[in-house]
């Protein structure tokens, strides 16, 4: 199972649509993508996780790393996720207190300042 | 300590460093013969297969050191054979060299390499380039296997060698290493007594699977001990650990769950930085204790607020890492529920409904499975027997749980703790819930 990544620009925000499995094998691809975006000056990211089927601790680490990078530029990283199996992982790790989590990309974009 | 076994042990392991067992898959007898002779002359052992199915059968019985795979096989495409080899965890680390007799363009070679092949050669193949390519692939995979072996040895040496012993507590700890090629976990556990007599039982998991993760795990484990020995409270220990990891390993995250027992063991405090909640077993059932929970380590966030509850003798707490409940094809709440059911059944009690587990992070006893200690709920019967029987049962429980995790992708650490039955000395100190 692989990881799919597509990005698109929505005003000041870059939406990263992630699909498949984010694990120890595929997480480096997502890490590179987030690093590339921040290097290119995209500091407001919305990561759409609706197509994610599996997320492990390495994947969480990559998202946390992305958050630290955008914050260093006063940016933001918002997540879109309604899947209970993924939300449960964010709750256990306490990351629901760290990442703003939205029910849709539209909601994430309008919540941004 | 037992020597690590697993993916580093291969059929070719006993051969000289630059020689290996190579599987050659080609439907053309003459081509197979030529490649096999080159390899044999260079000192390698060769296994031959004329079809994809035959090749997969050989790999299934034990992966050779390397496979040379014709892209065009009669029964299935070489790309498909390669994909299956790389998907199977036991053979995922075996290098695959694609060879093609038909002239192919750069795009075809890219498809092969993107599909998981490690190198691609096209006819006419020069024997020297063929053998050099194989040598390079073997060097690469041996370096990888060596790192795996070192990390596994290091990780095991960093875990307590003896079952931890703490007065007033029974402890059974287990660690199961994933035997997969790429998987070294940062799982750890520890149990020790501070100079003031507090008992600490800890479990944690550093993100990632590498030598680096094992090293960070060691740093956390020993730093945690040092902070606790200095007299810091569990929450202060976790706060300091977070500061440490933020500065020393800014790219890493880790989860850690700490249980602290006062000298008389009459209570237990949990501080949980993003780790899976402890499973508590009392006379009335088994349920997850979601109190004392906060954000994982590696994120600038306040330390979790501790949660403290009374601990009647015989109560058990289970700490575990995600390998025990994380399955690719199943939601984690399902597997966690199953874990609670399995543990409850082994104690002859029921699983406590999540509704009883209260709100996360709330004060007092609200985060505790509310009726776990209510012996009357099941007619006053506890699960404890004599001291001796309880001890065996705790070990059996740990064995059964670690057995259920064999075959999982990940490594698993678990610690089962029981407050030892009363010796009379501390009996009065125990405050039963009303």
């Amino acid at each position: 199972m692989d990881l799919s990544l597509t990005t698109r620009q929505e005003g000041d925000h870059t939406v990263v649509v992630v699909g498949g499995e984010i694990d120890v094998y595929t997480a480096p691809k997502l890490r590179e993508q987030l690093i590339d975006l921040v290097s290119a000056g995209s500091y407001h990211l919305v990561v759409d996780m609706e197509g994610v089927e599996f997320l492990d601790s390495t994947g969480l680490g990559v998202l946390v790393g992305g958050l630290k990078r955008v914050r260093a530029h006063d940016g933001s990283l918002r997540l879109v996720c309604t899947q209970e199996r993924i939300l449960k992982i964010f709750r256990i790790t306490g990351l629901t207190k760290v990442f703003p989590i939205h029910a849709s990309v539209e909601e994430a974009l309008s919540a941004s300042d | 300590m037992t020597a690590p076994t697993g993916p580093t042990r291969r059929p070719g392991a006993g051969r000289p460093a630059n020689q290996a067992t190579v599987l050659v898959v080609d439907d053309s007898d003459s081509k197979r013969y030529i490649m096999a002779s080159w390899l044999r002359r260079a000192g390698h052992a060769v296994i031959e297969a004329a079809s994809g199915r035959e090749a997969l059968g050989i790999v299934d019985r034990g992966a050779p050191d390397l496979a040379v795979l014709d892209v065009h096989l009669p029964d299935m495409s070489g790309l498909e054979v390669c994909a299956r080899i790389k998907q199977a965890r036991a053979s995922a680390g075996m290098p695959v060299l694609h060879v093609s007799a038909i002239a192919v363009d750069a795009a075809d070679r890219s498809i092969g390499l993107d599909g998981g092949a490690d190198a691609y050669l096209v006819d006419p193949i020069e024997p020297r380039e063929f053998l050099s390519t194989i040598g390079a692939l073997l060097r690469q995979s041996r370096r990888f296997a060596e790192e795996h072996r070192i990390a596994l040895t290091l990780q095991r040496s960093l875990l307590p060698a003896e079952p931890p012993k703490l007065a007033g507590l029974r402890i059974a700890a287990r660690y199961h290493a994933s035997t997969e090629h790429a998987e070294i976990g940062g799982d750890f556990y520890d149990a020790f007594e501070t100079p003031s007599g507090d008992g600490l039982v800890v479990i944690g998991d550093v993100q990632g699977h590498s030598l680096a993760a094992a090293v960070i795990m060691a740093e956390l484990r020993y730093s945690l001990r040092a902070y606790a020995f200095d007299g810091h409270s569990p929450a202060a220990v976790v706060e300091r650990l977070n500061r440490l990891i933020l500065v020393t390993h800014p790219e890493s995250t880790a989860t850690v769950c700490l249980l602290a027992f006062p000298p008389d063991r009459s209570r237990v405090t949990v501080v949980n930085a993003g780790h899976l909640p402890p499973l508590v077993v009392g006379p009335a059932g088994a349920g997850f204790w979601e109190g004392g929970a906060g954000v994982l380590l590696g994120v600038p966030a306040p330390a979790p607020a501790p949660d403290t509850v009374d601990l009647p003798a015989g109560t058990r707490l289970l700490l575990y890492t995600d390998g025990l409940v994380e399955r690719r094809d199943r939601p984690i709440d399902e597997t966690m529920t199953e874990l609670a059911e399995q543990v409850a059944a082994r104690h002859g009690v029921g699983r406590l409904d999540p509704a009883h587990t209260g709100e996360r992070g709330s004060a007092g006893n609200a985060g505790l499975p509310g009726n776990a200690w209510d012996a009357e709920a099941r007619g006053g019967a506890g699960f404890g027997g004599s001291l001796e029987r309880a001890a065996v049962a705790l070990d059996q429980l740990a064995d059964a749980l670690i057995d259920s995790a064999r075959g999982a992708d990940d490594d698993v650490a678990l610690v089962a703790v029981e407050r030892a039955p009363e010796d009379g000395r501390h009996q009065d100190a125990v405050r039963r819930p009303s």
Side-chain angles (χ1 to χ4, degrees):
Chain A
M1 189 63 206
D2 213 359
L3 174 79
S4 69
L5 287 175
T6 58
T7 62
R8 66 171 193 270
Q9 204 60 32
E10 295 268 357
D12 292 344
H13 289 77
T14 307
V15 180
V16 184
V17 183
V18 191
E21 299 184 348
I22 315 179
D23 60 14
V24 65
Y25 301 105
T26 62
K29 199 169 150 188
L30 178 61
R31 180 185 291 117
E32 276 168 36
Q33 173 73 266
L34 296 179
I35 290 173
D36 287 350
L37 286 171
V38 174
S39 309
S42 301
Y43 303 142
H44 293 279
L45 306 179
V46 174
V47 179
D48 182 351
M49 316 258 306
E50 289 296 72
V52 173
E53 286 154 32
F54 178 79
L55 175 68
D56 76 357
S57 62
T58 314
L60 286 176
V62 166
L63 292 172
V64 169
L67 180 70
K68 287 179 181 170
R69 282 194 179 82
V70 295
R71 277 193 180 165
H73 298 276
D74 293 322
S76 62
L77 196 162
R78 293 171 180 277
L79 301 178
V80 176
C81 182
T82 59
Q83 296 188 76
E84 189 47 41
R85 62 189 293 171
I86 304 293
L87 288 172
K88 175 89 182 174
I89 296 164
F90 283 105
R91 275 199 292 273
I92 289 170
T93 50
L95 288 173
T96 45
K97 296 170 189 139
V98 175
F99 287 105
I101 299 180
H102 301 277
S104 67
V105 172
E106 291 66 35
E107 189 191 298
L109 290 171
S110 60
S112 314
D113 37 29
Chain B
M1 190 169 39
T2 52
T5 56
T8 53
R9 288 187 178 277
R10 292 218 187 117
R15 307 181 71 81
N18 56 346
Q19 290 162 9
T21 302
V22 180
L23 171 65
V24 176
V25 192
D26 202 309
D27 59 313
S28 149
D29 292 344
S30 56
K31 269 196 63 198
R32 209 172 58 239
Y33 175 78
I34 292 169
M35 289 191 289
S37 340
W38 290 344
L39 288 164
R40 289 198 178 103
R41 227 169 290 147
H44 300 297
V46 179
I47 308 170
E48 297 183 34
S51 71
R53 218 167 300 282
E54 198 186 333
L56 289 173
I58 290 166
V59 171
D60 261 357
R61 290 192 291 276
D65 295 310
L66 185 146
V68 177
L69 195 55
D70 181 15
V71 179
H72 307 281
L73 292 167
D75 58 337
M76 59 204 291
S77 127
L79 300 175
E80 165 80 25
V81 177
C82 178
R84 291 215 200 161
I85 285 171
K86 296 290 178 178
Q87 270 162 21
R89 300 213 151 242
S91 58
M94 177 181 70
V96 172
L97 167 63
H98 270 321
V99 291
S100 174
I102 302 163
V104 292
D105 58 17
D108 283 329
R109 292 200 295 277
S110 289
I111 291 168
L113 293 169
D114 289 345
D118 299 273
Y120 204 120
L121 291 175
V122 181
D123 259 357
I125 297 170
E126 289 298 322
R128 198 169 155 195
E129 186 187 11
F130 178 74
L131 292 172
S132 301
T133 304
I134 282 177
L137 293 175
L138 287 172
R139 274 201 303 279
Q140 235 168 15
S141 94
R142 284 195 170 121
R143 267 201 297 273
F144 199 55
E146 182 66 4
E147 190 198 304
H148 180 92
R149 194 188 61 74
I150 293 169
L152 201 57
T153 308
L154 180 65
Q155 180 176 41
R156 294 206 168 178
S157 70
L158 292 169
L159 293 173
E162 297 280 310
K165 285 190 175 59
L166 280 91
L169 297 174
R170 298 175 171 285
I171 297 174
R174 298 287 184 277
Y175 174 73
H176 167 65
S178 158
T179 49
E180 303 320 329
H181 195 68
E183 312 259 352
I184 288 290
D187 289 12
F188 71 100
Y189 61 84
D190 202 0
F192 58 93
E193 201 164 88
T194 66
S196 61
D198 286 346
L200 259 73
V201 179
V202 182
I203 199 154
D205 186 2
V206 176
Q207 156 235 316
H209 295 84
S210 63
L211 197 49
V215 169
I216 297 172
M217 172 270 267
E219 276 187 44
L220 288 182
R221 182 179 157 217
Y222 292 120
S223 304
L224 191 154
R225 274 193 175 225
Y227 292 137
F229 268 69
D230 274 356
H232 295 293
S233 71
V237 167
V238 168
E239 190 190 351
R240 280 165 174 77
L241 281 182
N242 195 32
R243 268 192 253 155
L244 185 74
I245 195 172
L246 280 169
V247 172
T248 54
H249 301 285
E251 293 285 316
S252 285
T253 59
T255 62
V256 62
C257 182
L258 206 149
L259 297 177
F261 306 81
D264 69 0
R265 315 298 188 225
S266 61
R267 282 164 287 130
V268 57
T269 296
V270 65
V271 175
N272 186 349
H275 199 83
L276 290 153
L279 182 61
V280 182
V281 193
F288 292 104
W289 183 12
E290 300 194 330
V295 182
L296 51 69
L297 304 179
V299 178
D307 191 20
T308 301
V309 296
D310 291 336
L311 185 72
T315 309
R316 289 179 171 185
L317 298 128
L318 178 73
L319 299 174
Y320 51 97
T321 55
D322 52 12
L324 193 62
V325 288
E326 194 178 78
R327 298 290 174 269
R328 262 162 211 276
D329 51 349
R330 307 197 45 210
I332 197 165
D333 34 4
E334 260 181 46
T335 51
M336 284 174 71
T337 300
E338 272 179 22
L339 172 67
E341 277 166 357
Q342 184 192 352
V343 170
R346 286 185 183 276
H347 292 92
V349 297
R351 180 177 68 83
L352 291 174
D353 193 81
H356 290 130
T357 57
E359 285 299 310
R360 220 176 153 72
S362 53
N365 286 14
L368 173 84
N371 52 4
W373 283 274
D374 183 3
E376 286 178 14
R378 57 185 300 270
F383 54 77
S386 73
L387 246 126
E388 209 52 43
R389 275 175 54 210
V392 169
L394 196 69
D395 274 325
Q396 282 174 346
L397 174 70
D399 285 338
L401 290 171
I402 207 81
D403 275 347
S404 73
R406 289 191 201 283
D409 291 358
D410 211 346
D411 51 351
V412 182
L414 68 86
V415 185
V417 190
E418 177 189 280
R419 184 181 170 198
E422 311 290 347
D423 59 4
R425 195 155 46 97
H426 295 133
Q427 194 128 27
D428 295 341
V430 179
R431 192 161 47 84
R432 297 275 174 186
S434 52

